[in-house]
């Protein structure tokens, strides 16, 4: 969810420098990602296995035809994150454009009505090679204190010219007078091998109404 708000985060104390709680070990404890394989290695795997052939065709898409898929020649990254959208039924999506100047997002604040149900939609391109264990992580702060962390696993993707889309499960925004206020978010798009594809900061405000 966007934020879980403990009582300590709701006081009227002056703003303090953000304090980050480290929960990465809790999330990844006991998990060892599989060895990273290149596109060529995957293509060469068990060509006689029909089920594996179908799986590779689904995962790799255009790359199975021997095509090197490049969406943006000037960008050497395997993953290009395009947009993050707040999706609420019956309302227009609120979209963060992640393809431009990310510094401008720090000065923008998204309004969220308390108690609504929402999902996040992440849009991105994969090019040049396969990416495994792709994930979206966001840490939410209020008055400088970390109050929530989301670690959303997206999975593995092959390169293709069309945009990939991932929709998170439905969540409930917090509600009540004490939950209202402004929150600061630090977002990271990375993979199991600690490759960091995009990092940005943004804010939202929980209000009684839109």
């Amino acid at each position: 969810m966007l934020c879980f708000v403990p009582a300590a985060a709701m006081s009227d104390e002056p703003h303090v420098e953000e304090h980050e709680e480290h929960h990465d070990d809790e999330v990844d404890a006991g998990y060892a990602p599989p060895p990273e394989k290149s596109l060529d290695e995957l293509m060469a795997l068990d060509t006689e296995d029909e089920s594996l052939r179908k799986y590779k065709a689904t995962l790799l898409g255009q790359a199975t035809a021997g095509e090197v898929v490049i969406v943006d020649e000037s960008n050497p990254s395997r993953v290009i994150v395009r947009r993050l959208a707040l999706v609420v039924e019956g309302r227009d999506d609120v979209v963060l454009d992640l393809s431009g100047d990310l510094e401008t997002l720090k000065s923008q604040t998204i309004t969220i009505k308390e108690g609504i149900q929402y999902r996040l939609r992440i849009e991105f391109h994969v090019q040049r090679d396969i990416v495994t264990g792709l994930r979206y992580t966001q840490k939410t702060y209020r008055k400088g204190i970390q109050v929530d962390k989301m670690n959303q696993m997206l999975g593995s993707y092959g390169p293709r010219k069309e945009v990939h889309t991932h929709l998170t499960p439905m969540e409930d925004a917090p509600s009540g007078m004490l939950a209202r206020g402004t929150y600061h978010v630090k977002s990271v798009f990375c993979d199991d091998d600690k490759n960091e594809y995009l990092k940005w900061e943004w804010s939202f405000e929980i209000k009684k109404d839109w």
Side-chain angles (χ1 to χ4, degrees):
M1 59 188 297
L2 284 177
C3 60
F4 167 73
V5 189
M10 301 173 188
S11 68
D12 293 325
E13 294 297 321
H15 178 80
V16 295
E17 188 174 346
E18 289 178 351
H19 171 68
E20 183 171 318
E21 298 180 6
H22 298 282
H23 297 306
D24 291 343
D25 292 340
E26 297 174 12
V27 174
D28 297 329
Y31 173 69
E36 185 175 8
K37 290 186 180 297
S38 70
L39 185 58
D40 289 340
E41 289 174 318
L42 282 175
M43 291 290 291
L45 284 176
D46 296 329
T47 54
E48 302 291 326
D49 188 325
E50 180 65 16
S51 61
L52 183 57
R53 187 191 65 77
K54 290 180 178 179
Y55 167 74
K56 289 191 296 184
T58 301
L59 176 63
L60 302 179
Q62 294 159 333
T64 58
E67 176 184 358
V68 179
V69 179
I70 298 178
V71 178
D72 184 350
E73 187 70 49
S74 65
N75 191 332
S77 178
R78 287 183 295 172
V79 179
I80 306 173
V81 189
R82 298 298 190 184
R83 286 171 289 277
L84 178 72
L86 178 75
V87 180
V88 178
E89 187 175 356
R91 293 188 62 86
D92 292 339
D93 296 344
V94 180
V95 179
L96 294 179
D97 183 1
L98 304 176
S99 61
D101 184 3
L102 299 179
E103 286 296 313
T104 62
L105 298 181
K106 292 182 179 180
S107 61
Q108 300 176 14
T109 301
I110 294 175
T111 297
I112 300 176
K113 180 182 178 181
E114 63 178 4
I116 57 99
Q117 289 190 315
Y118 69 91
R119 305 175 82 176
L120 294 179
R121 187 181 68 248
I122 306 167
E123 300 175 10
F124 57 96
H125 275 108
V126 175
Q127 63 173 6
R128 303 180 188 277
D129 209 337
I130 190 173
V131 59
T132 59
L134 200 59
R135 67 175 66 200
Y136 169 70
T137 300
Q138 71 173 35
K139 296 178 180 179
T140 304
Y141 301 82
R142 190 177 187 193
K143 300 183 186 299
I145 299 173
Q146 184 180 325
V147 296
D148 184 57
K149 179 180 177 180
M150 171 192 284
N151 194 350
Q152 182 71 36
M153 177 61 73
L154 278 65
S156 300
Y157 294 85
R160 72 179 192 186
K161 293 181 179 179
E162 296 79 21
V163 69
H164 290 285
T165 300
H166 177 84
L167 202 59
T168 66
M170 190 75 74
E171 298 280 359
D172 295 317
S175 60
M177 183 177 64
L178 295 180
R180 298 170 198 155
T182 300
Y183 298 80
H184 183 69
V185 183
K186 295 181 178 180
S187 295
V188 180
F189 211 69
C190 60
D191 65 22
D192 281 344
D193 296 303
K194 309 301 182 184
N195 297 310
E196 191 175 283
Y197 299 108
L198 195 68
K199 178 188 290 185
W200 72 98
E201 299 180 23
W202 53 287
S203 298
F204 65 89
E205 184 177 3
I206 299 291
K207 291 186 175 183
K208 189 175 182 179
D209 208 340
W210 295 105

